[in-house]
Amino acid sequence: MKIAPLFSAGQIEEANRKLDAAILQQAEKLEKYSLTLDGITIRPARSAGELAAEGKSLHHCVESYAEWVSKGETFIFFIRREAEPDMSWYTLNLDKSMKTVIQNRGMRNCDRTPEVMAFEDAWIAWVRAGAKRDKNGNPTINQNNKESAA
């Protein structure tokens, strides 16, 4: 007896297109929180494929968050070295209220390095302060009580 598949290839492709469109829509809202500072950059995940590639590259489970990301229930950001923007380094999960980092993990769920922790601290403080930008659209970061463009 042959069992028919639950979904056709076309249905699966359509579901994946909808998932990617929803994730991209969320990413567009979060793009204002993208930042480059001291050689490190952060940006929102833009597709289920990116989440899958990130999880495969870093050997962790971020791909399983795709549905939550698509609904805006959680926010996933990729942290990269500025010189290697396409190379996975750390994955940050921000709570929906945009106030706290739930987790930030690197290769095989390793903890953050001091360098990444310092970047995360500066970034989350900037986000909490309203993600301010100067008249040219450059992020302004308060470092040591001194406003500067990032």
Side-chain angles (χ1 to χ4, degrees), residues 125-142:
W126 176 71
V127 168
R128 287 177 182 156
K132 296 176 184 172
R133 295 183 183 267
D134 66 18
K135 64 183 176 183
N136 297 318
N138 297 314
T140 55
I141 301 290
N142 185 346

Side-chain angles (χ1 to χ4, degrees), residues 102-114:
I102 297 169
Q103 60 182 334
N104 185 357
R105 297 294 184 188
M107 180 66 75
R108 291 184 175 83
N109 283 316
C110 73
D111 286 333
R112 299 157 293 183
T113 64

